[in-house]
Amino acid sequence: MPPAPDLVTQSAPLMNILLFLPLAVALVILIGRKLLGVNVCVFLAVASSAICLLCAIMNLGVVGSETIRLMPFLILDGGKLLNIGIDVLHDGQSAGMMFIVTLIGFLVQVFSVKYMEEDDAKPRYFGALSLFLFSMTGIVLADNLVMMFVFWELVGLSSFLLIGHWFQKPSAAEASKKAFLTNRIGDFGFMIGILLLFGVNHGDVTFAGLKESLLMGPLKATSEGQGWLMTAAVLCLFMGAVGKSAQMPLHVWLPDAMEGPTPVSALIHAATMVAAGVYMLVRISFLVAASEMGATWIAGIGGITALMAALMATQQGDIKRILAYSTLSQLGYMVMAVGLVGMGGEAMGGNAGHPAMFHLYTHAFFKAMLFLGAGAVIYSCHHEQDIWKMGGLAKHMPVTTFTFAVGTAALIGVPGLSGFVSKEAILGVAWEECKWLFAAGAFTAMLTAFYMTRLFIVAFLGKARSDSSSHAMEVRLPMLVPLLVLAFLSVFSAYHFMEAPLKAMAVHGHGEGHYTVMGISIAALLIGVIAAFVIYRGREKDPLNIKLFANKFYFDEVYAVLIKVFQDGLAWLVTGVEHAVVDGLVARLPAAMVAKVGQKARLLQAGQLQGYTFLLGVGVLLAIYVIVFVLPGVGH
Amino acid sequence: MSVFNLEALLALLGLFVLLLEAFVPSVSSKALAGICMAGVAGVLVLLVTVAGGQDALPAFIGAYHQLDTLAIFYKAFALVITFLVLWLTLEAAPYLSKFTLDGKLGEMFSLPLFVCVGMMWMASAKDLVTVFVSLELVTVSFYVLVAYTRKSALALEAGVKYLILGALSTGVLVFGVAWVYGATGALSFEGITKAVQVGGVNKTALLFGVSFLLAGLGFKVAAVPFQMWVPDVYQGASTPTTVFLSVGSKAAGFAVLTRVIDALTVSGSMVRQEVITVLSIAGAVTVVVGSLPALFQTNVKRLLAYSSISHAGFLLLALAARDSVRVDLAPGGTVAFYLATYLPMTVLGFAALIQMRLNGRGEELDDFKGLAQKSPTLAFLITLAFASLAGLPLTAGFFGKMWVMLGLVDQQLWFALVCAIIGAAAGFYYYFRVILAMFTPEESTEPVRMGALARGVCVVLGCTIIVLGVYPKPLQMLLAKVPVAGKNATGH
């Protein structure tokens, strides 16, 4: 490991490319797509993401951390009042995350070239993907919360555009709206959290500044004297993560987001964007550690999300939705890990590995792989997504089946694969900090093994249950290559040769209960897999029927009622206020008064020249009276 | 070539065009407009290129003429607005020529040049006599311009009203100048500054003169209670002339007011408090009186007239806030900045009216209905102009209003601040009514077309609004250098 401090300072140009190249490409494509033609647009997008990937690889292996100002952004009073820039925090965490984002981004774009072949709006699609890469890069590289928030919103925008790519479909349009609005709720919390810290820490919201202030500054005083304020700030920031990483109770948008093209689901709604919430939480893990109460809440929400999402996943029939609930559940794991580490009072992240970051890293590869595999299946089955109409795909699509099996094995944590290692890290922390959450985590692991095995058996094994699956054919090379690369990473990403340059992502050393933990999780894995085999082997339709899970705990229905009662009620109230106060008191009453005065004034303004002249004279007299007689007396 | 020759050059061009029009009838309106616009643009280029290297003026003219930053700014301002008015006249020519006696627009191209000369002289004036002479050159040219579309009864009426009231106000102004001279023994701003500081001046006599002076200038800038001519004259005059009155005449008036007020409110002046108070009262009342009738105005041209009154109120308040510490601008600088932002939005607003006329639509609010469907570009530009007039952030109009209000806070003129806020809020209401109308769907499908030149100029104006709204720093820096006697002396 050569310490290369120079690398850090030399990396400013790389950072500029990483951040602004995707933006430039997005703008060029979105503005000039008619001029450039489809192929040029696609080429630009794919080539630019390849360049970004190269830059990200060159950035790996960073030692220490440094802030690089790319451009000033919000500067007031020469930086004394407000000093926020587009600043890059260059350390192990951001370099590792950049690698994940650009690698999966690149593979997904390559996959999309073939997958979206027959789409009419390819340039719009690739432009939005580039915009997404730009926004995501901004979040990853951000050195302060304000910049992160700006890109946070941009990510929301690009996600909106991509979910609604097929906006002609009402369900896609609805889903994009739902995702955007649900995220807005979390974002408001995030914004309030930033403002709280902004106020407490006198305008410094850089991560380094906050950290320092927590050691010996205003934040230290706050966390000691006014713990509730600290907890409030942490929980508000957490709300941002609840929205973006789709935690309970704002998880409802993610399954619906599957209306977008499948490669988008792989990139945004599985591997990268939804992980942004976790990434942000790891960035502020020192704040989480400073608030025991906040950390407990975070761990609890994460655990509940992991468990409930896994339960819902067991009863879904749509291949993408199963994966979506699985993503929810895994994100719950990560969030739980953030909370658990915080409960232990430790601050990790930055250059020190964090179990949540570790799981984010391994999960990104195998979940992207699973989604792309699902995409390949959907593509071959003529856009059939119901697993009960598939079956027997292993015979028709051997390579895809193989990669899917590898991804499944990684996800359910078969020993020796990447998912196993990172899941162990989280369960290990849970074992130390909170046995209840450990139980939830272990049960979730069992459920995960169960529903993923179910998915695999039903979709890939047995006989074909419809025409579309019996006529399925293996996909072409451009789609297979990304699958194979990701399958390779799913297996090996936790191995030493991979994580050596990505040190900051991994966790080293084991807790005391290590062997117990490992035993329990392997037992959970076996129970889940065997149960699924016993129940689903050779079935034509689902033998289990648990309404509560199939209907996702009725969250959507409850929300619909809540919205009906509260939002419509609020709307009614607001309309009332608008009519009575705004319209009546503010507009109509003065209006009526002015109209009365105006009626009188209009007599003066009657176009009569004599009248005007008279008024002019009166005006002059008035001026003289005021200036000569009234004012000099006032002063003395 | 020295800067002070530019006025002479422009006056010669004006005479030339006047004669050309009279003796060579075959010259088309387009050619006349082209010559005038080229001439104005040329003088503007000369001003910009020459202004930098200017140091001392020859002695014979130095006594009457100064070339500080403010003077250069107002000269450039006069040239820009003249150029735009000539362009608007050319745009509006197809329907304007129906209302002239000979069906031609000859003097409508040469007269703006004389107005411009007057405004440029006024910008450099060092004493009240020069001010008066150049002000009259402007006003007399305007008498003709307002009534030029003589077949329109409204224009004729407007012309007569403007003539009589203008003449009256000129009388008031001269009377004021005489009294000020009598009280202080000085006509130059420098002399007045000294006299009010030193003392030994009959204060009552001075205040009497100042009242007349302010009343006369108040008429030119349309301050309450001397604003009643504005709606009638603005509505009656041809739209290019209205623009000229609303922007050019107002700027000229404020250029003079800036000098006068700076002289009268210099630190240690015996009348400082009185002048500040009367300015803040007049400004506050003007903002409110300009805004309230606009709330119910359905004629957009008249609406813009009221808006012009309300803006004059803001400008007066800018002059009243002498001790603003938060903005790096002297009061005169704030006024200049405000006017510079006021120019593109007002011209764009009126240019839109001309485009409506050219497409066979009127100037009523209903005529704007559905415009967004028929010409999205025009609708967007009008939206931009009106949003800026209202003072929406990120448009040019925002910073001017904000700085005025900050100044009022610093000066602790709370009454004026409340009035300014009421006026600004009302502004949002009546400006956005026009925007709302444009975006209200309408059945009829007559398309609205814009010529290429119109489109180009309007887009440039729109861009100016956005640039000034997003990045006002350069202009602010330029004006920050404005040396103002009052500001320098008050640095205690």
Side-chain angles (χ1 to χ4, degrees), chain B residues 39-68:
Chain B
V40 171
V43 171
L44 184 60
V45 170
L46 280 177
L47 177 73
V48 173
T49 49
V50 173
Q54 190 67 38
D55 17 62
L57 289 166
F60 75 93
I61 196 135
Y64 312 101
H65 206 87
Q66 57 180 343
L67 282 174
D68 55 0

Side-chain angles (χ1 to χ4, degrees), chain A residues 266-321:
Chain A
L267 173 63
I268 299 183
H269 305 118
T272 56
M273 181 189 89
V274 289
V278 177
Y279 181 86
M280 184 267 280
L281 287 177
V282 175
R283 268 276 184 246
I284 58 158
S285 63
F286 56 92
L287 290 174
V288 178
S291 162
E292 169 113 41
M293 169 95 127
T296 314
W297 270 95
I298 293 174
I301 299 264
I304 293 172
T305 308
L307 185 60
M308 291 184 81
L311 287 172
M312 295 185 232
T314 56
Q315 284 285 299
Q316 302 300 319
D318 181 318
I319 185 167
K320 283 182 73 179
R321 282 187 179 252

Side-chain angles (χ1 to χ4, degrees), chain A residues 591 605 607 612-613 616 631, chain B residues 161 164 168 212 228 232 274 296:
Chain A
Q605 192 85 53
Y612 286 2
T613 321
L616 188 81
L631 290 178
Chain B
K161 279 179 186 164
I164 294 189
L168 200 62
F212 278 103
M228 54 277 173
D232 288 357
E274 284 84 355
F296 309 99

Side-chain angles (χ1 to χ4, degrees), chain A residues 130-272:
Chain A
S130 294
L131 182 67
F132 167 74
L133 280 179
F134 161 69
S135 334
M136 191 66 205
T137 308
I139 292 186
V140 173
L141 295 181
D143 135 279
N144 58 67
L145 284 168
V146 172
M147 170 178 170
M148 192 177 252
F149 184 77
V150 171
F151 284 95
W152 197 264
E153 297 296 317
L154 279 172
V155 160
L157 166 71
S158 36
S159 165
F160 171 80
L161 292 175
L162 284 164
I163 297 172
H165 180 70
W166 292 314
F167 57 86
Q168 302 89 340
K169 269 204 308 192
S171 58
E174 283 296 321
S176 61
K177 239 185 336 193
K178 184 169 173 183
F180 195 77
L181 290 177
T182 314
N183 265 296
R184 294 295 316 157
I185 299 174
D187 293 348
F188 271 116
F190 191 22
M191 190 158 73
I192 293 169
I194 295 174
L195 289 173
L196 282 176
L197 288 176
F198 192 91
V200 173
N201 203 25
H202 308 309
D204 184 1
V205 285
T206 60
F207 297 118
L210 289 171
K211 208 177 226 168
E212 199 176 300
S213 152
L214 193 60
L215 284 178
M216 41 172 194
L219 271 185
K220 182 170 195 272
T222 309
S223 71
E224 282 164 3
Q226 296 154 288
W228 57 272
L229 188 58
M230 200 67 193
T231 305
V234 167
L235 286 180
C236 282
L237 292 179
F238 176 56
M239 265 189 70
V242 169
K244 194 97 348 188
S245 289
Q247 298 296 295
M248 297 270 170
L250 297 183
H251 64 285
V252 288
W253 67 268
L254 186 59
D256 288 17
M258 297 301 133
E259 291 291 341
T262 309
V264 168
S265 311
L267 173 63
I268 299 183
H269 305 118
T272 56

